[in-house]
Amino acid sequence: MSKATTASGGSRSLDRLLPLLLLPVALIALGPVLRLLLEGIGFGDGLTTDHLTSVLARPSTATALRHSLITAGGGTLLSVLIGAGFAFLVALTDIRGKGALVFCLMIPMMIPPQITALAWMQMAGPSSTILKMLGLAPPLGSPQPLHSAGGIILLLGIQHASLVFLTLRAGLRMIPAELVEAARMSGAGPVRVWAQTVLPLSMPSLIAGGAMAFVTALGNFGIPAMLGIPAGYATLPTLIYQRLVSMGPSVLSEVAVLSLLIGAVAILGVLLSRLVLKRQGFGLVGLSGAPLALSLGRARLPVEIAMWVFIFAILALPLLALLATSLIPAYGVPLTFHTATLKAWIEVLFVQPVTRRAYANSLFLAITAAAILLAICLPLAWLMERRANRFSQILDALIDLPYALPGVVLSIACILTFINLPFTDLTLYGTIWIILMAYLARFFVVMLRPIQASIAQLDPAMEEAAASVGAHLGRRLRDIVLPLAAPSAAAGAILVFLTAVNELTVSALLWSSGTETLGVVIYNLEDSGETVMASALAMSIVCLIIALMGLVQAGARRFPKGVIPWQS
């Protein structure tokens, strides 16, 4: 048999292999979203809109929608201010210690939102251990200032500022340095260069980052649950949670409508940002020839001090308050040399079975999701790049949907999809496998996109040369594609693991006894009044996340440029 015939047979095999991979991927990633849509519009009742309109017309729905728009909008505005300020200073000026600043700014994004809320609650209020140590605690009985819309907006803004920073910094790297130099040579100072050249060119990236922050804030469950529920301030995610735990006769169809409402608002926000982006495009190509470094002169040191003070205020101070709370014997007891104890840490990590089980569940889910997605996305990305067809192009366009939709929407979609498996009497609801399925749908694009970008840069000539000398498909993938795409695949797996190990928004609606995740246990401990134990568990997770980020940073040189978010 000739080599040409072998190559032709391999091509036909690939054409048959692609649908076998695309179909299950489409079912896992997009099936739940389709099922949610059918439930929300009343497909099982003959496509009637009676239930849809009755849920949307309730005062509680309108109130929760208004609260969601207020908190997500306010949080997005704050995220834009923080993220854009850091991005402009880090990308455009000659400040020192940029790598350390970026690493610290990324930590709030990697820390679960419920831990962020818990840490800030330990820093403020009458029972704050750290304020008591400083003699600044308000009188007992004073209200917790963070239990309000303002508190939710503040923490949403801090939590998602990193998204704006990353998106804007990537856009700033596309601005040709020649334009900035031309403006400076014509006599423009740094402020004028920024206002008249840099800001207009970076506006598309700023808008895109703001849209990502809005969608993420809209679906955030941990912060509104920890701060809003005690104050009776319901957003759409917390209203869905409260409806679901009530388990009424029509609860699934009701929360499906509420989930569609969140999804519609999120998609509307994305579409609006894209409409604005079309009008803001400037057609920049390539990276700037050299990093921009506008001199701050004598203002450099004060700016650096201000940035580090801000990092200390939003990151170090809340975590110190969380650590202080975890070291006291009971909530409300002042922390002194005599009262300091590791009792809560020992109880949480070595005695309580629920926390040990939550650690095991979270690590199992994160590792398994990363491994499965790695195994699927490597061949799938190669096939989609080398054997693209109409089906693969449609899937490629829609695969971002489960990640773009708020996590609570995806949770309800998975409940509707897997509560009764088609053609069987089996159910995944109440098992750890439904959480795994939700993670696979949620983080699929996180794994796929870095691998796609890596394979798109590979020259097909290498594979063609190997095929011409008789190398079969398996060997070409093993010896050529896999080694070259491995760094991006590893980076994608790391991002999936870091995101999944501390996830709450998706698992909050899917867990049951025995399948608790770390985020769920922290929320339940705080909700039941076990604040010291919740703080100890939260602090242990923070240490784990920072340690993992440190390991990734230590191996950053082995990864392609750009696949680690906090790397330049």
Side-chain angles (χ1 to χ4, degrees), residues 233-251:
Y233 191 89
T235 61
L236 284 173
T238 58
L239 179 63
I240 289 174
Y241 176 78
Q242 291 170 322
R243 289 285 188 270
L244 193 63
V245 296
S246 68
M247 290 306 293
S250 60
V251 64

Side-chain angles (χ1 to χ4, degrees), residues 503-520:
E503 199 282 327
L504 171 65
T505 303
V506 173
S507 56
L509 302 183
L510 301 177
W511 73 277
S512 62
S513 179
T515 66
E516 304 92 340
T517 61
L518 288 169
V520 169

Side-chain angles (χ1 to χ4, degrees), residues 463-548:
E463 301 166 41
E464 294 169 359
S468 67
V469 296
H472 55 78
L473 174 61
R475 185 171 183 182
R476 298 200 302 271
L477 291 176
R478 185 186 69 237
D479 294 345
I480 298 176
V481 177
L482 181 58
L484 295 175
S488 293
I494 290 168
L495 292 178
V496 169
F497 178 84
L498 284 173
T499 309
V501 76
N502 58 34
E503 199 282 327
L504 171 65
T505 303
V506 173
S507 56
L509 302 183
L510 301 177
W511 73 277
S512 62
S513 179
T515 66
E516 304 92 340
T517 61
L518 288 169
V520 169
V521 171
I522 290 173
Y523 175 73
N524 289 341
L525 285 173
E526 172 64 19
D527 191 51
S528 61
E530 297 287 351
T531 302
V532 177
M533 288 181 58
S535 300
L537 179 59
M539 200 64 213
S540 71
I541 298 172
V542 171
C543 294
L544 173 65
I545 295 299
I546 294 177
L548 291 173

